[in-house]
Structures are given as C-alpha cells and as structure tokens.
Amino acid sequence: MKLTIFAATGGIGRQLLEQAVAAGHDVTAVVRNPQRLSRQVRAVTADLAAADPALLESAVAGADAVLSCLGPRSASQAGIASRGTRAIVEAMQATGVRRIVVVSAAPISTVASPGRPRPPRHDPGDGFLMRNLLAPLTKAAFRKPYADLALMEDVLRDSGLDWTVLRPPRLTDKPLTGTYRTAYGHNLRRGLLVSRADVADLMLRVLDQPQTIKQAIGIAN
Ligand SMILES: NC(=O)c1ccc[n+]([C@@H]2O[C@H](COP(=O)([O-])OP(=O)(O)OC[C@H]3O[C@@H](n4cnc5c(N)ncnc54)[C@H](OP(=O)(O)O)[C@@H]3O)[C@@H](O)[C@H]2O)c1
C-alpha cells in the first residue's frame, strides 16, 4: 500500500516506519526533522503546529491510508494532537484520501469533549482499581493532554473519513509480540501496558479490516 505516516520519528512512529517498510509498503514520512528518520523513505518536512496546507496535501495525495502517531513531546505542547490532526484531516478531505488510523489513549473513553460532553463515567473494560484509583489519578495528572486527545477524536468523528482510533494504556519499549488483546469501544481488563511495537502492528493490521472503520479500539498486552 501507499502509506503516509505522520510523526514517524516518535516512539510508536519509528516502530511503525520499520514495520511498514519491512512489509513492503511504499511510505511517505511527514516529520519535523528528516535527519532523525531511521529509514530512507520519501520525507516531507512539516511542523504540524503551523503546517502549510498545500504541503500536507502533497504528502497525503494518492495515499491508500494515513497513519498518525502524533502527540505532544511534553505536557506544555498539549493541543498539538487535535490541531495537527485537524490539519491532516483537511489535507485528506482536499485530496480525497479516506482512510486514517491514529493513536489516542485508554482513558479517553471517559473524557468529556465538546463533541462528546457526557461520556460514560466508567469504561466497561476497566476493573475496580482502574475505575476508582488509577483512572481518576491519571486523568487528573494528564488533564490537558487528555483533553487534547478527546478533541482529536471529535475531529475524526466529524470528519466523514474512514477513521480508526487506537486507545493504548501505558506504552513500553518492549519488543513486538503480535499477541496483544483488542476490544472494540472499550479498554481491556487488567490491560495496564502495551508495547509501542504492538501498537504499530495493530495500526497496520486494521488497514485490512473494514470492520475497524469508525471504531475506537482498546489494545493491551
Ligand atoms: N506515553 C504513554 O504511555 C502513552 C500512553 C497512551 C497514549 N499515548 C499517546 O501516544 C502518543 C504517541 O506515543 P509515543 O511514545 O510515540 O510519543 P512520542 O515519542 O512523544 O512521539 C510524538 C511524535 O509526535 C511528533 N510531534 C510532536 N509535535 C509535533 C509537531 N508540532 N509537528 C509535527 N510532529 C510533532 C513528534 O515529532 P518529533 O519526533 O519531531 O519530536 C513525535 O514524532 C503520545 O503522544 C500520546 O498522545 C502515550
């Protein structure tokens, strides 16, 4: 497939780039600094905080799918996930590209946003400890990044595109297993961790699975 990968120099992005190239896909990488790319692929340099729409359109035009691992490098950069994803979506709408897969986070199922002002109080996949201790603590600690990711999900739901959102719990740098668990629309019981490599694996896998379109998918090792 012809794939455009945004944030291919990040933790998940690097894994995704390696796996996509190894699988024989034709990859265009949109990054802030192409010198940090681990592979020689077609590179487009763009800062998604203020990207030129024409440049993004040229990066996605003709792609079979767009994959984004975009997220803030620090809490102070929260806002980039929704802003950058909006720019990506607009480029796709302008060029007629329909399929997009992005990385969100497990707690977002219960985070309110303008498009989803009354989300469920608890995620049906979360157990007692997660509902009553861990989820409230992480949501308090990461309030801004989570609000940004919830808004990013709004942008996708409103886009009319064929989107899939992956909602991983805490990310690790452990190796690819390919044996992670997934669930449509909710988190996984005792699913506290998942490797970046496994998230990247699922990003590629869902491209062959039309049933994942317009779905938020929980993933955990
Ligand atoms: N950490 C966790 O445990 C966890 C858990 C669940 C979900 N998540 C979500 O998963 C996302 C991806 O995780 P990760 O470990 O791959 O994150 P990461 O290593 O911090 O990667 C973030 C990527 O976003 C890019 N980026 C940031 N601001 C940008 C901008 N203005 N323009 C263009 N690109 C920009 C970065 O580009 P550069 O390479 O140029 O910096 C980097 O490639 C996180 O951001 C978070 O939203 C994280």
Side-chain angles (χ1 to χ4, degrees), residues 9-12 32 36 47-48 70-71 73 80 104 168-169 171 196:
T9 49
I12 296 174
R32 289 194 282 195
R36 295 188 54 237
D47 185 329
L48 290 167
L70 176 65
R73 278 285 186 188
I80 190 58
S104 179
L171 299 169
R196 290 178 170 85

Side-chain angles (χ1 to χ4, degrees), residues 110-208:
T110 58
V111 172
S113 64
R116 206 164 153 262
R118 277 178 294 281
R121 187 145 174 259
H122 299 299
D123 186 291
D126 289 344
F128 181 82
L129 259 188
M130 181 57 79
R131 285 179 182 204
N132 296 300
L133 185 67
L134 299 178
L137 281 178
T138 19
K139 280 161 71 176
F142 297 107
R143 199 176 50 79
K144 280 191 181 166
Y146 286 173
D148 183 23
L149 290 176
L151 199 52
M152 174 187 79
E153 293 194 6
D154 281 357
V155 168
L156 290 167
R157 272 192 301 273
D158 291 346
S159 68
L161 300 178
D162 293 339
W163 53 269
T164 302
V165 165
L166 304 191
R167 290 190 183 142
R170 191 186 185 116
L171 299 169
T172 75
D173 287 322
K174 294 213 167 123
L176 175 75
T177 69
T179 57
Y180 46 82
R181 298 174 290 150
T182 60
Y184 285 84
H186 64 84
N187 296 331
L188 280 308
R189 196 54 62 99
R190 287 183 292 281
L192 298 183
L193 301 171
V194 70
S195 72
R196 290 178 170 85
D198 279 340
V199 176
D201 184 76
L202 183 60
M203 291 182 84
L204 291 174
R205 260 193 218 183
V206 298
L207 296 179
D208 295 327

